[in-house]
Amino acid sequence: MLTAAGAGAGYAAGQITGKDIKDKSLGPNDLLVRVAAKQVDDDAIPSGSTAPRKALQVKIKAPTKGYLVVTASSDVFDFAASQEQTSCAIAVDDKYAKGSYRSIKVGGADTETNCETNVTVPVAAGAHTVAFYADVLDAGVTYDETALSAEF
């Protein structure tokens, strides 16, 4: 609620409520946030893989041109005695989202870690596909609990 400086036409005690505000700068497509999210609780990418793989994917519709804010993460395991290199990244509409690539080491004394990333990507109005990819170079690496969300 806003309080007016002086008493005005028909407003008790100089108060203006939300229903009194007429803002024509916002259209019906600007009023709601869109969110697409997905998670898996077990073996998004099980051990045995040795190639880049899609861990999760969501679809989201942008009502106008604007930005997608994307966040993704996975609990990564490797119980080998040596450390292994692995990486994760985000793609929007099958194109790598610049700045989202993350490289981690797992195994040895650190058998569990997270590969997490986020990025903001400009998009046109319409449907978009957002994916979280992992590049698994060692068959002993598991991308386990994994989450992906995209917000417009």
Side-chain angles (χ1 to χ4, degrees), residues 6-79:
Y11 296 111
Q15 294 180 342
I16 301 172
T17 66
K19 70 179 180 181
D20 300 311
I21 297 172
K22 308 283 191 253
D23 186 351
K24 301 294 183 192
S25 66
L26 295 176
N29 291 329
D30 298 322
L31 303 179
L32 297 175
V33 171
R34 274 75 172 170
V35 176
K38 191 172 187 179
Q39 61 277 333
V40 64
D41 288 330
D42 190 31
D43 289 350
I45 300 176
S47 62
S49 230
T50 57
R53 299 234 347 237
K54 189 184 310 177
L56 284 178
Q57 177 177 293
V58 296
K59 294 183 183 284
I60 189 167
K61 186 173 183 181
T64 64
K65 73 176 184 174
Y67 294 90
L68 288 180
V69 178
V70 183
T71 303
S73 67
S74 186
D75 207 8
V76 183
F77 291 92
D78 185 3
F79 296 105

Side-chain angles (χ1 to χ4, degrees), residues 1 13 33 37 39 41-42 51 54 62-63 74 79-80 84 88-89 94 102 110 117 121 126 131-132 135 148 152:
M1 177 175 10
V33 171
Q39 61 277 333
D41 288 330
D42 190 31
K54 189 184 310 177
S74 186
F79 296 105
E84 306 299 338
C88 60
D94 294 321
R102 302 290 184 267
D110 187 12
T117 185
V121 180
F132 180 50
D135 192 1
L148 170 65
F152 179 88

Side-chain angles (χ1 to χ4, degrees), residues 79-102:
F79 296 105
S82 62
Q83 283 198 321
E84 306 299 338
Q85 184 92 17
T86 187
S87 60
C88 60
I90 294 167
V92 176
D93 298 329
D94 294 321
K95 295 181 184 141
Y96 163 68
K98 292 180 182 178
S100 70
Y101 177 84
R102 302 290 184 267

